[in-house]
Amino acid sequence: MMPGRPAHPAAIDIGALRHAWPGEADILRIDRFHVAAGERVFLAGPSGSGKSTLLGLIAGITPCQQGRVAILGDPVGGMSPARRDAHRAAHIGVIFQLFNLVPYLSALENTLLPLRFSPQRAERVRRTGQTPVTEARRLLDVLGLDETTLGKPATALSIGQQQRVAAARALIGHPGLIIADEPTSALDRESRDGFIDLLNSECARTGAALLFVSHDTALAAGFDRHVDLRDINRMAIAA
Amino acid sequence: MSAPLTRLARKSLLNRGVSVGLTVLSVALSVMLFLGVEKIRTGARDGFHATISGTDLVVGARGGAVNLLLYSVFHLGDPTANIGWDSYERVATAPGVAWTVPVSLGDSHRGYRVVGTTPAYFDRYRYGRRQALRFADGRGFDGIYQAVIGAETARRLGYGLGDEITLSHGIGEVSFAEHTGHPFQITGILAATGTPVDRSVLVSLESLEAIHAGWDSGVARSGAQAATGGSGLQPDSVTAILVGTDSPIRVLSLQRQINTYRGEALSAVMPGVALSQLWRVIGAGETALRAISVLIVFVGLSGILTALSAGLNERRREMAVLRAIGARPQEIFALMTLEAAAIAFAGALAGILAVNLAFLAVSARVMRRYGLDLGQAGPGLTDLGVLAAVTLAAAVLGSWPAWRAQRNALADGLSIRL
Ligand SMILES: Nc1ncnc2c1ncn2[C@@H]1O[C@H](COP(=O)(O)OP(=O)(O)OP(=O)(O)O)[C@@H](O)[C@H]1O
Ligand SMILES: [Mg+2]
């Protein structure tokens, strides 16, 4: 760890952030948004309010135009695109709403994929004394996928199974931050609740912070904190 | 960094088995066509240049080098004039001349040219890498009214040893003037050479003289009578002379000597030089053929472009997922170009293998039947070059859809529209 860096830097530290898509007015103006290390935050907001845009900035997929975006103590906002990509590979797990998996890879191969893109993450697995495959199997098992589904191609899985494989893939190699963009909106109520419980408990176990986006505030119960994007985004207030 | 990419590219291609397979097939077919044309083309060119070797000069009546070569060696067209027998003797006895073979043309048998010559023809005429003529069956002529036929003449007309044929005056397929009174007996059949010799009927100068003597007098003399009067059958002219010298350094001075011979207007040409001149004329078609087969390879490659571009939209999600996992835009680009290159590589490899197997299967037969040497079977430097060029060209072509995929991935961010 770098000298002078706090032992547990904030998972997300955003200040004076502004973002506009090309040819459009500002969609985000956030003075301050903070998620502590290991904190599990539920982020709500109506459709089109810029939730996914914010996640893109946090993940470093969308370049930061103005303001400060620091993830786990690293100033992602100021990094070169290549370093942002490497940072994301090593420290952030992403779960989408749908179609999370690479269609031509099996459930197990999909889960292992982040370890192939980030040596750091692979190293973290090795330090726990596990091999990548045993760790992937363990996570898939914890998330309730039985042995027979592991070798199946992603396209042969049900949506619920796909989302759980996506969660295992986000969690493998102990990233410090998991961001999930409405991962349960395509699930029925039962599997939705199960999914959120598992995600929460796994994050709690590994100490990963979780930023969970949904417009369904009924899901907010199990989280440490509940944030509405309209409360932190000045553009939303103006609108 | 590239290890996950090659793995991804492989799995992605295998996953789209049928469509990728068809694209590979179209590349393979185009490469097969290209290499097939290329091999036949070089075989034909080498075979052409190997039509005559070991002869230092070809001498005929004054005229253009290409024309002289065409009628004397390729048996195409007609000589402008003949050479007098005394000129032939002057050339044969000139200092530095090691051997001469006179050639007399003008008759035919069912469209196949009759070549009147001496038995020395069978020793002196060389083709390819100075290969001598070989008898597939029988032997040379040693008397009049005997004929030796080329491999194609024998095969096409279905002749065998001992068969009798009649010559006709002139060179048309359907002749109006047959030397019917003097059938020739076939004493030998030559092995295929891939040269015009295959399509000829070889007889002695005396035999030609004999049938023409009978013709001239308007009365057919009997064969026995003509045979006994051998000394009276010396021709008074020949069409061309093949000349070999003692030493290659004498060729130029001998050529100058013959060209400036005062007794008769003669031309002496070096066959190699004239062959090159002639090939330059025929070679235009060769270049066109080559251009077409290159174009066909590009048609095959454009199939890759189509296949990749068609999949671009449905793969948008996949690229976004890879980006989220940490893939850089350049890696998205690399994945797509890698797929294009891999399809081309597999196609080219399959095409090369197929062509070589096909050539392996037929080259011995082509050699036996047509005397055309298709070159060494088995992959050569050309094949390697084609493999590299096709793969590289596909990578370059693939960079277009690859660039589009990369641009999409960058623009999409985390919120991909479905
Ligand atoms: N990659 C992009 N390029 C251009 N415009 C974009 C892009 N992503 C989002 N936008 C625009 O930004 C605005 C906010 O979109 P965003 O996806 O962030 O909303 P959201 O809160 O996630 O909505 P939802 O709940 O429907 O997912 C929309 O007007 C959208 O058109
Ligand atoms: Mg969204």
Side-chain angles (χ1 to χ4, degrees), chain A residues 21 24 27 46-53 182 215, chain B residues 411-413 415 417:
Chain A
W21 287 109
E24 286 174 35
I27 174 129
S47 184
S49 61
K51 303 184 296 295
S52 296
T53 304
E182 307 195 49
H215 48 238
Chain B
D412 282 344
S415 43
R417 267 72 49 106

Side-chain angles (χ1 to χ4, degrees), chain A residues 21 52-53 55-56 59-63 81-82 84-86 88-90 92 94 96-105 109-110 113-114 116-117 121 169 179 181, chain B residues 1 3-5 7-9 11-13 15-16 314-315 317-331 335 339 409-416 418:
Chain A
W21 287 109
S52 296
T53 304
L55 290 193
I61 289 179
T62 306
R84 273 205 319 267
D85 292 334
R88 175 171 66 258
I92 303 176
V94 179
F96 291 107
Q97 182 176 10
L98 265 180
F99 307 116
N100 267 287
L101 306 186
V102 177
Y104 46 83
L105 298 181
E109 288 167 326
N110 262 288
L113 209 48
R116 302 196 197 285
F117 278 93
R121 256 164 106 157
R169 188 180 63 198
I179 56 183
D181 194 356
Chain B
M1 185 189 86
L5 288 189
R7 202 188 155 86
L8 283 176
K11 297 247 177 184
S12 155
L13 290 173
N15 185 53
R16 286 172 289 145
E314 66 194 55
R315 296 186 70 183
R317 295 289 315 193
E318 172 194 336
M319 300 305 170
V321 167
L322 290 175
R323 283 281 288 145
I325 288 167
R328 292 185 293 145
Q330 297 94 306
E331 288 175 309
L335 178 64
E339 288 185 11
L410 274 174
D412 282 344
L414 250 195
S415 43
I416 311 108
L418 294 177

Side-chain angles (χ1 to χ4, degrees), chain B residues 30-54:
Chain B
S30 68
V31 166
M32 272 179 77
L33 189 73
F34 174 77
L35 281 179
V37 164
E38 197 66 4
K39 282 195 186 240
I40 290 169
R41 192 180 64 85
T42 48
R45 188 187 53 202
D46 294 348
F48 176 83
H49 281 287
T51 304
I52 183 168
S53 62

Side-chain angles (χ1 to χ4, degrees), chain B residues 76-414:
Chain B
L76 291 171
D78 291 306
T80 39
N82 273 3
I83 309 173
W85 186 255
D86 48 334
S87 294
Y88 165 67
E89 285 186 326
R90 284 292 293 269
V91 171
T93 54
V97 170
W99 53 264
T100 52
V101 174
V103 169
S104 193
L105 300 159
D107 283 356
S108 65
H109 170 73
R110 294 175 62 183
Y112 291 83
R113 286 292 188 106
V114 171
V115 180
T117 185
T118 60
Y121 186 90
F122 301 111
D123 296 328
R124 296 303 183 183
Y125 187 91
R126 297 287 160 100
Y127 66 99
R129 291 181 209 88
R130 301 217 170 200
Q131 284 151 276
L133 297 176
R134 206 170 49 76
F135 281 94
D137 215 352
R139 52 182 175 77
F141 48 73
D142 52 13
I144 60 170
Y145 301 131
Q146 294 183 344
V148 168
I149 58 177
E152 192 180 329
T153 315
R155 183 164 52 80
R156 288 281 177 84
L157 301 182
Y159 289 157
L161 287 188
D163 287 355
E164 295 207 328
I165 59 175
T166 55
L167 310 190
S168 37
H169 197 67
I171 54 174
E173 176 114 31
V174 187
S175 185
F176 39 90
E178 296 268 341
H179 300 289
T180 42
H182 310 284
F184 278 68
Q185 196 180 32
I186 296 171
T187 62
I189 298 170
L190 293 169
T193 61
T195 71
V197 174
D198 293 353
R199 290 181 296 277
S200 54
V201 174
L202 297 135
V203 299
S204 69
L205 286 176
E206 289 82 4
S207 304
L208 282 185
E209 200 51 35
I211 53 172
H212 287 116
W215 190 259
D216 290 345
S217 66
V219 187
R221 288 188 283 176
S222 88
Q225 201 183 344
T228 48
S231 56
L233 290 173
Q234 188 184 76
D236 41 50
S237 72
V238 295
T239 309
I241 316 166
L242 309 183
V243 179
T245 56
D246 292 333
S247 140
I249 50 169
R250 309 203 69 143
V251 175
L252 276 176
S253 66
L254 186 65
Q255 184 185 24
R256 189 160 358 95
Q257 226 175 305
I258 295 170
N259 282 338
T260 55
Y261 174 59
R262 285 175 191 280
E264 194 172 0
L266 299 178
S267 280
V269 305
M270 288 187 274
V273 174
L275 279 169
S276 295
Q277 277 179 20
L278 188 52
W279 186 253
R280 240 170 284 149
V281 179
I282 308 168
E286 181 203 32
T287 313
L289 201 61
R290 185 178 214 177
I292 289 168
S293 53
V294 167
L295 278 181
I296 286 169
V297 171
F298 270 94
V299 171
L301 286 179
S302 71
I304 298 179
L305 204 60
T306 315
L308 284 187
S309 301
L312 223 49
N313 250 341
E314 66 194 55
R315 296 186 70 183
R316 212 160 162 155
R317 295 289 315 193
E318 172 194 336
M319 300 305 170
V321 167
L322 290 175
R323 283 281 288 145
I325 288 167
R328 292 185 293 145
Q330 297 94 306
E331 288 175 309
I332 303 292
F333 181 90
L335 178 64
M336 297 289 286
T337 38
L338 206 59
E339 288 185 11
I343 292 173
F345 184 83
L349 201 63
I352 287 167
L353 285 180
V355 159
N356 279 293
L357 284 178
F359 271 72
L360 204 62
V362 302
S363 68
R365 229 181 32 229
V366 168
M367 185 69 197
R368 227 181 308 117
R369 266 183 90 146
Y370 305 104
L372 188 62
D373 189 358
L374 295 175
Q376 93 285 23
L381 225 56
T382 321
D383 298 328
L384 273 184
V386 166
L387 186 63
V390 166
T391 308
L392 199 72
V396 170
L397 283 178
S399 67
W400 161 242
W403 175 78
R404 284 171 60 200
Q406 175 186 347
R407 194 194 49 186
N408 286 346
L410 274 174
D412 282 344
L414 250 195

